[in-house]
Amino acid sequence: MREIILRQKQILFFIIAGGLSAIIEIGSFKAFSTYLPQFLSHETNFHGIHYPLSNIFSTSCGIITNYFLSIWFVFERGKHSKRKEFAYFMVVSFISTLLSLSFFQIFYSFIFKDNINLIFYTLSPEITSKIAAILLVSILNYSIKKKVIFNG
């Protein structure tokens, strides 16, 4: 019974940490995708890749935030040293970033074409695609981080 309660608590904290990391990632993506094209004209469409630097920079902000929230609130330390744990976290995050960037491109190019009006805010296709990619990849992230990195 104790394990079930702890597991539910861990999932709740993972969702909270992920939500905060997603807010950082989406907010920084909004800032990067607004200001980078003013300096780099190819940022909006670089050989068919939409907002590549904005995605990479914002995802990096989200990953770093998620790492610290994960070690502070979500997972207990595994059997790995801090250095090895961080390296594993970064490898998993790098693979997740590639997946997230791929999903973003698919969503932005083929699925989310119009703004979504939420009455109090309008979501652009870029932001909607970013949110969808984050949600999809976060499920994979939880299971891998829990089993491979933090529980060794």
Side-chain angles (χ1 to χ4, degrees):
M1 181 67 171
R2 185 172 189 262
E3 284 183 31
I4 293 171
I5 292 170
L6 287 176
R7 183 174 175 180
Q8 300 306 321
K9 179 181 171 185
Q10 186 179 54
I11 290 171
L12 175 66
F13 283 157
F14 181 80
I15 290 168
I16 292 169
L20 292 172
S21 300
I23 289 169
I24 297 294
E25 186 172 343
I26 292 164
S28 60
F29 177 77
K30 180 67 175 168
F32 288 129
S33 65
T34 299
Y35 296 110
L36 276 179
Q38 295 175 6
F39 302 103
L40 302 167
S41 61
H42 293 296
E43 175 63 5
T44 56
N45 188 351
F46 182 73
H47 301 289
I49 300 173
H50 305 285
Y51 302 97
L53 292 176
S54 298
N55 258 306
I56 290 168
F57 294 156
S58 65
T59 301
S60 298
C61 291
I63 288 169
I64 291 167
T65 302
N66 189 263
Y67 176 74
F68 287 109
L69 292 174
S70 291
I71 62 172
W72 291 336
F73 301 111
V74 181
F75 299 109
E76 293 180 17
R77 299 220 77 111
K79 67 179 182 180
H80 307 296
S81 68
K82 287 181 183 181
R83 178 175 279 159
K84 192 179 263 189
E85 181 182 273
F86 183 76
Y88 287 158
F89 192 94
M90 288 298 125
V91 168
V92 169
S93 295
F94 177 74
I95 293 167
S96 296
T97 299
L98 294 177
L99 283 172
S100 182
L101 293 174
S102 299
F103 287 133
F104 173 83
Q105 295 304 316
I106 292 166
F107 292 146
Y108 185 73
S109 297
F110 302 110
I111 297 173
F112 299 113
K113 297 291 189 181
D114 300 317
N115 289 336
I116 298 175
N117 187 353
L118 300 176
I119 301 171
F120 57 91
Y121 187 77
T122 300
L123 295 174
S124 66
E126 299 90 8
I127 297 298
T128 307
S129 299
K130 187 71 171 171
I131 291 169
I134 289 170
L135 290 174
L136 197 56
V137 171
S138 66
I139 297 165
L140 176 68
N141 269 337
Y142 174 77
S143 55
I144 290 175
K145 288 174 182 175
K146 179 176 174 50
K147 291 181 177 152
V148 175
I149 299 171
F150 292 106
N151 283 346

